[in-house]
Amino acid sequence: MNYFVTGATGFIGRFLVARLLKREGARVFALVRPGSEYKLDAMRRRLCVEESRLVPITGDLTKKLLGVSKRDQDDLVGQIDHFFHLAAIYDLSADENTQRYINIEGTRQTLKLAEKVNAKAFHHVSSVAAAGLYEGTFSEDMFEEAGELNDPYLLTKHESEALVRQESRIPWRIYRPSLVVGHSQTGEMDKIDGPYYFFKLIQKLKDFLPNWIPLIGVESGHFNIVPVDFVADALDHIAHQEEGNGQCFHLTADRSYNLGEVMDIIASAAQAPRMPVRIDQRMFDAVPGFVRRGVSAMTPRLLINQAMENLDIPPSLIKFLTFPTEYDNRRAAAALEGSGIEVPELESYVQQLWDFWENHLDPDRDEREDELQPLPSLPERAEDKIVMITGATSGIGKASALKLARAGATVLVVARTPEKLEETLHEIKQVGGNARAYRCDVSNLEAVDELVEQVLADYGRVDILVNNAGHSIRRSVVHSFQRFHDFERTMQLNYFGSLRLIMRLMPGMIERGFGHVINISSIGVLTNAPRFSAYVASKAALDSFTRCAASEMAHLGIHFTTINMPLVRTPMIAPTKLYNHVPTISPNQAADMICDAIVRRPKRIATSLGIMGQVMHFLTPKVTETIMNTGYKIFSDSAAAMGGKEKTPKKISREQAAFSRLFKGIHW
């Protein structure tokens, strides 16, 4: 099978050529400009293919018949099974004449060359930009219906596609990728484009603001994003199917993101301030026109352009921030069915994109102070460490024990029930971990003293203490007047038990010059969750002690981390059957937060919603109190809290479902 590829050394082209050459007997003829043959040499070395399989054809997209010599034309006649046209210009700063000449005239000459050499099939890689600024969903069968084409790139992509449809004398297929980003596994990218224009802004936010400050994003525009490896895989697969001539295929993701979502996802990878709250763009549209014009008049265009230049954002990008088009990709999905080729969620590979940009594409990478050295891995942090975890036989504690044992730590699992301790030990041994079980009721301070004495006799130290054991009570204050013991029980376990362990283990940590205490707290401490006064008060006490102790011991090599956990699906919340119907995180996700604490050793780990709740209580206490009171009234005390038998509700009300989704992870 022989292929001719324009744009073979370009970003998508490199990945497509690699896939074509994996086919048995495949040979690729690649158009290269004079002086660019070295790029093809580099591709051969990378792909480990001989010159006879990746053949350079010298030419130029701006020349007649692409400037291909008569001799090469004659040699190629009847040889080309598939002709791929990927070469084009995409530069928001390029002038209209340049884009017209390369994108439109280049496509016309490419078609003529394909016909001259009697290619059997012509594959034109267009773009969703051919749809223009279409309002609504643009299908694969639509073309003439394109929206506004008042930008050179939109116009030239539309007109070059029109040439293929109207003038091609050989069977053709058109492919419209959406915004193409780096490789989903490696992050590899060749230029700053599309979502990458936001990276510098997010980096500056990261530099100037702590990442716990929640920011407000805008729900504006539609950004359909796909990684380059998906596009190359899809092109290769669809091009070789028997059916599909004369058709267009949208190489797009099943869902688009708005501007605020894209910024928030990138910020999560950059560890920059997140944007958990987003304002609908239509709110700005409701502002009277004379107000918008007045604000615009007071904002000199020079200042706007200067700000965008400092952020490496071309001013022409502004018009695309409210991009109105969604894309129907049913034909492409049907063609890819059963192939295993699908678009991954942006969240699953954004970290690779960010890391590659910071290391290879950031224009300031050589000037930025490298104060953030690469973080160690979990095994590097945990190997040979003695880690004590309380409440280690279920939920968060058990999941954490398994992860840390796999990472090479010696895990001391502490719990009350002998049978569960043995079961946990068995599971740890199954994964090749090293652990030892200790039976202890952490609410019994004398038992805690005995536990510490035995552990120090067995191992001589504890390097990392995870205070995970806890007891939660969900009951309104008005139903607790005769239940003072609720407050005593929670304080005894959640505060005094944890504090006793810290106080007994701390002298050894100070003597060795290292120790890490991780306290599992609650999002309720940040949001002041109603119905949890006993539980939240006990956790808040431990949080306050931790902040004081950390200030005293910072110079002694002692680290303290507080994790304000959101609602986790554990046995502790099982008595409240209502929680079967509200969003929670899994014990494994919670354990990942503990592992992250061990790797990074931050002062606090919390969700953006939790931090925002704390900030709102400080800035707008009355408004926040009203919101929390509304949640309190929407939900009710459980039958168990009232002394009855709890039953699992078949469903929850719309108001309860909406509130629990809006305030995901908060206890109600």
Side-chain angles (χ1 to χ4, degrees):
M1 191 79 72
N2 292 331
Y3 306 91
F4 191 103
V5 182
T6 71
T9 59
F11 186 51
I12 299 175
R14 296 199 303 270
F15 290 96
L16 174 62
V17 168
R19 282 148 179 78
L20 295 177
L21 288 173
K22 288 181 180 179
R23 294 181 174 271
E24 186 176 356
R27 185 167 53 156
V28 174
F29 297 90
L31 184 75
V32 292
R33 287 182 297 180
S36 295
E37 291 84 359
Y38 71 94
K39 295 182 180 179
L40 218 60
D41 292 336
M43 286 181 64
R44 289 194 201 96
R45 289 193 297 271
R46 187 172 71 170
L47 300 174
C48 299
V49 297
E50 56 273 20
E51 187 173 354
S52 62
R53 295 193 61 212
L54 183 52
V55 182
I57 299 294
T58 304
D60 190 321
L61 207 64
T62 64
K63 302 291 180 64
K64 183 179 180 180
L65 293 177
L66 304 187
V68 175
S69 69
K70 181 69 166 59
R71 178 178 178 178
D72 283 339
Q73 291 179 35
D74 292 342
D75 289 344
L76 292 171
V77 170
Q79 298 294 314
I80 304 302
D81 298 290
H82 294 278
F83 197 117
F84 287 90
H85 179 42
L86 287 83
I89 185 171
Y90 175 39
D91 184 350
L92 291 178
S93 61
D95 63 87
E96 182 173 349
N97 286 337
T98 301
Q99 294 196 54
R100 277 185 171 276
Y101 202 67
I102 293 178
N103 291 350
I104 300 175
E105 290 306 313
T107 299
R108 178 176 282 114
Q109 295 305 318
T110 302
L111 277 170
K112 289 182 177 180
L113 177 64
E115 293 166 3
K116 184 80 173 177
V117 300
N118 295 328
K120 297 181 178 65
F122 188 83
H123 303 276
H124 178 64
V125 180
S126 179
S127 165
V128 292
L133 301 179
Y134 181 81
E135 296 278 352
T137 300
F138 203 79
S139 74
E140 291 155 306
D141 288 323
M142 296 169 70
F143 177 70
E144 299 291 346
E145 300 87 343
E148 291 183 20
L149 297 165
N150 56 2
D151 177 84
Y153 181 67
L154 302 180
L155 177 64
T156 57
K157 296 307 288 185
H158 183 83
E159 292 194 7
S160 60
E161 187 176 312
L163 282 175
V164 177
R165 292 172 176 272
Q166 297 165 8
E167 299 186 11
S168 179
R169 298 174 183 173
I170 57 179
W172 56 265
R173 300 182 189 187
I174 291 172
Y175 310 86
R176 295 176 185 154
S178 53
L179 288 172
V180 181
V181 295
H183 196 286
S184 65
Q185 299 299 318
T186 66
E188 180 183 349
M189 181 59 171
D190 68 339
K191 64 178 180 178
I192 294 173
D193 183 24
Y196 290 87
Y197 287 123
F198 303 138
F199 281 36
K200 177 57 68 175
L201 170 61
I202 289 171
Q203 187 188 63
K204 289 188 179 295
L205 289 174
K206 171 188 175 182
D207 289 344
F208 292 109
L209 294 173
N211 64 2
W212 53 262
I213 291 181
L215 301 178
I216 296 177
V218 179
E219 290 186 348
S220 173
H222 299 289
F223 296 85
N224 194 291
I225 299 172
V226 291
V228 66
D229 45 313
F230 162 76
V231 175
D233 286 338
L235 279 170
D236 176 47
H237 182 79
I238 297 175
H240 290 89
Q241 291 187 327
E242 291 185 6
E243 302 295 327
N245 288 339
Q247 295 182 332
C248 176
F249 300 87
H250 279 170
L251 307 185
T252 59
D254 291 335
R255 60 158 296 195
S256 297
Y257 299 88
N258 61 53
L259 177 60
E261 287 175 320
V262 173
M263 297 282 282
D264 190 53
I265 292 169
I266 299 170
S268 70
Q271 296 185 19
R274 300 288 300 275
M275 301 175 191
V277 177
R278 289 179 282 275
I279 299 174
D280 195 312
Q281 172 69 28
R282 288 171 293 184
M283 291 182 63
F284 297 104
D285 296 337
V287 177
F290 73 90
V291 175
R292 294 200 300 271
R293 289 191 294 273
V295 172
S296 177
M298 291 187 293
T299 309
R301 175 61 57 182
L302 179 63
L303 292 181
I304 295 176
N305 290 344
Q306 185 63 50
M308 296 189 73
E309 181 180 340
N310 289 339
L311 294 170
D312 300 319
I313 300 175
S316 53
L317 179 69
I318 292 179
K319 70 180 74 172
F320 296 112
L321 297 183
T322 56
F323 206 82
T325 316
E326 297 268 25
Y327 305 99
D328 184 333
N329 62 1
R330 279 178 286 187
R331 179 180 293 132
L336 295 173
E337 187 174 2
S339 67
I341 301 170
E342 57 185 20
V343 184
E345 291 288 335
L346 177 60
E347 293 89 336
S348 70
Y349 63 93
V350 69
Q351 189 66 58
Q352 290 90 313
L353 302 184
W354 177 265
D355 291 344
F356 190 90
W357 175 83
E358 262 200 328
N359 292 323
H360 301 279
L361 298 177
D362 179 9
D364 302 324
R365 61 188 178 278
D366 294 330
E367 301 174 12
R368 286 176 60 83
E369 183 180 355
D370 191 20
E371 75 282 1
L372 296 176
Q373 296 297 324
L375 287 171
S377 64
L378 181 62
E380 288 173 329
R381 283 288 201 215
E383 192 172 12
D384 299 327
K385 291 291 191 297
I386 307 297
V387 182
M388 177 185 286
I389 304 176
T390 64
T393 58
S394 66
I396 301 171
K398 186 174 184 177
S400 302
L402 287 165
K403 287 179 183 288
L404 290 170
R406 288 193 195 98
T410 297
V411 183
L412 312 183
V413 292
V414 178
R416 293 178 300 173
T417 310
E419 296 79 13
K420 290 186 177 180
L421 282 167
E422 289 302 318
E423 178 184 311
T424 303
L425 277 186
H426 176 71
E427 290 188 39
I428 291 174
K429 289 177 182 177
Q430 290 292 101
V431 299
N434 185 25
R436 186 162 179 174
Y438 291 89
R439 182 184 180 188
C440 179
D441 179 355
V442 181
S443 65
N444 184 331
L445 302 186
E446 291 181 358
V448 171
D449 292 342
E450 293 174 4
L451 167 68
V452 173
E453 289 178 9
Q454 187 61 55
V455 167
L456 294 180
D458 294 339
Y459 292 95
R461 74 185 198 277
V462 169
D463 300 303
I464 301 171
L465 168 64
V466 182
N467 277 316
N468 171 67
H471 180 63
S472 175
I473 295 176
R474 181 180 184 270
R475 184 175 285 115
S476 299
V477 174
V478 294
H479 299 308
S480 302
F481 296 150
Q482 304 303 317
R483 298 184 60 89
F484 191 76
H485 59 279
D486 283 354
F487 298 86
E488 292 176 315
R489 289 163 59 200
T490 52
M491 287 296 289
Q492 189 66 24
L493 175 58
N494 300 345
Y495 179 55
F496 290 121
S498 298
L499 184 59
R500 189 71 154 222
L501 274 170
I502 294 171
M503 301 292 272
R504 292 298 307 273
L505 293 172
M506 192 56 62
M509 292 181 175
I510 293 174
E511 183 180 347
R512 292 186 302 278
F514 173 79
H516 191 181
V517 176
I518 301 172
N519 292 325
I520 308 304
S521 185
S522 167
I523 191 175
V525 176
L526 304 178
T527 61
N528 304 309
R531 288 193 179 85
F532 288 90
S533 56
Y535 176 62
V536 167
S538 64
K539 290 295 188 181
L542 186 60
D543 287 10
S544 296
F545 166 83
T546 300
R547 290 194 297 272
C548 295
S551 299
E552 294 179 18
M553 301 181 192
H555 67 295
L556 299 175
I558 307 301
H559 306 274
F560 288 88
T561 300
T562 296
I563 303 180
N564 295 105
M565 284 287 181
L567 197 60
V568 184
R569 191 168 58 253
T570 67
M572 189 172 76
I573 71 166
T576 305
K577 304 303 182 184
L578 172 73
Y579 288 154
N580 291 354
H581 299 282
V582 302
T584 59
I585 68 171
S586 69
N588 270 325
Q589 290 172 304
D592 286 338
M593 296 170 77
I594 293 174
C595 293
D596 181 43
I598 291 173
V599 170
R600 293 194 297 115
R601 298 172 183 164
K603 304 305 299 178
R604 181 186 300 277
I605 293 178
T607 63
S608 297
L609 187 58
I611 296 297
M612 185 174 68
Q614 186 178 48
V615 172
M616 288 180 63
H617 271 290
F618 177 75
L619 296 177
T620 57
K622 188 62 181 177
V623 172
T624 309
E625 181 185 85
T626 300
I627 293 172
M628 301 306 285
N629 181 252
T630 300
Y632 173 75
K633 289 183 291 187
I634 288 176
F635 294 89
S636 60
D637 280 73
S638 64
M642 304 290 288
K645 187 175 181 181
E646 184 78 355
K647 294 181 179 179
T648 303
K650 292 183 179 179
K651 61 180 181 178
I652 58 177
S653 69
R654 290 183 179 178
E655 292 81 2
Q656 289 173 329
F659 218 76
S660 61
R661 284 196 298 270
L662 184 60
F663 299 101
K664 184 178 179 180
I666 294 182
H667 305 65
W668 294 103

